Amino acid sequence: MTAQSETIDYRCGDAVLRGCLSADPNASAPRPGVLVVHEWWGCNDYIRGRAEQLANCGYTALAVDMYGDGQTAQTPEAAGKLMNAVLGDMETGQARLRAAFDVLAARDDTDAARIAAIGYCFGGAVALHAARVGLELAAAVSFHGALASFHTPAPGGVKARVLVCHGGADSLVPGADVDAFKAEMDAAGADYRFVDYAGAQHGFTNPAATENGRKFNLPLAYDADADRQSWRDMAALLEEVFDK
């Protein structure tokens, strides 16, 4: 099966958001949906490619635009400005993810009762936030994402199954944040799994991470083994929660 991808515009308030929808045009029945949330670089070709991978695995996938107008960044300074604008106003950020959820759920080729969210780096933090605030997700998966919390869930408040794919050598996510995240999930009674990939640095799933790390003097690196294993771990969780 070869998925087809198309750019789609949707709205949240006055903002026009530009995502990418990937799906099997010949699907005979609605498929589970997956929201794919981008790194701080924005909804670029890497994230669109991940959505297409998911579509080829049997899902209807939407690469989400959290910045508006499909904005992407080419430097850490520009990326940080875009990312921090969202992190500094998580009420709007949450509304933008909700808008993407509603667009995906409303599609004829999506089973609205079976939707998950995955995210990379910044997007991992967004996916975890969605789980923390109780968005109607079957699962939330973070790949080398930030773990600090913008919302502390009450006991029983995390309904989604949670998977955190974390680089064991990720120097951008403090160990204290790891400990606090686990304590938070334990206190909430969440069904979660935290996986450390030994030696993997921040950005380990992105083939461009090593070059970006060199170019911008950042502790980023691609790790092919961790990339493959984390994708398998995610795929196993999605198959389980979606009963595929």
Side-chain angles (χ1 to χ4, degrees):
M1 187 272 285
T2 301
Q4 289 185 2
S5 299
E6 62 175 323
T7 298
I8 62 168
D9 287 353
Y10 55 103
R11 301 190 71 90
C12 179
D14 294 332
V16 176
L17 307 170
R18 185 159 294 139
C20 180
L21 194 287
S22 295
D24 175 7
N26 300 312
S28 58
R31 293 171 167 231
V34 183
L35 298 167
V36 186
V37 192
H38 53 78
E39 299 172 291
W40 70 341
W41 306 113
C43 188
N44 57 16
D45 288 344
Y46 171 65
I47 293 300
R48 290 167 177 254
R50 288 299 190 183
E52 193 163 293
Q53 274 185 278
L54 285 160
N56 282 321
C57 292
Y59 303 104
T60 303
L62 176 60
V64 175
D65 175 17
M66 293 294 293
Y67 293 161
D69 295 322
Q71 294 179 87
T72 59
Q74 305 303 317
T75 67
E77 292 76 19
K81 184 176 180 180
L82 288 168
M83 178 184 72
N84 289 327
V86 176
L87 296 180
D89 181 8
M90 281 303 290
E91 184 176 341
T92 297
Q94 186 174 322
R96 289 184 175 183
L97 188 66
R98 176 85 229 187
F101 178 97
D102 290 344
V103 166
L104 182 60
R107 290 183 59 88
D108 291 341
D109 54 4
T110 302
D111 180 348
R114 296 191 293 167
I115 294 179
I118 73 169
Y120 296 83
C121 301
F122 159 74
V126 172
L128 293 177
H129 181 73
R132 284 167 163 135
V133 300
L135 190 64
E136 302 92 324
L137 300 171
V141 182
S142 167
F143 295 91
H144 42 84
L147 302 174
S149 182
F150 295 90
H151 173 84
T152 302
V158 179
K159 306 299 184 185
R161 294 272 299 278
V162 173
L163 170 64
V164 173
C165 300
H166 178 71
D170 189 337
S171 61
L172 295 181
V173 178
D177 284 4
V178 174
D179 294 340
F181 172 80
K182 292 178 178 179
E184 180 186 4
M185 292 295 105
D186 288 339
D191 186 343
Y192 77 101
R193 182 183 177 210
F194 192 101
V195 184
D196 261 317
Y197 302 95
Q201 297 184 52
H202 197 77
F204 63 80
T205 65
N206 190 336
T210 301
E211 179 57 29
N212 283 332
R214 291 190 187 120
K215 185 190 304 184
F216 300 118
N217 193 30
L218 292 171
L220 310 174
Y222 178 64
D223 187 311
D225 288 339
D227 181 17
R228 284 190 293 268
Q229 186 56 55
S230 61
W231 186 266
R232 285 195 290 263
D233 289 339
M234 175 207 68
L237 175 61
L238 294 185
E239 288 185 5
E240 190 174 334
V241 298
F242 292 145
D243 229 6
K244 288 188 71 181

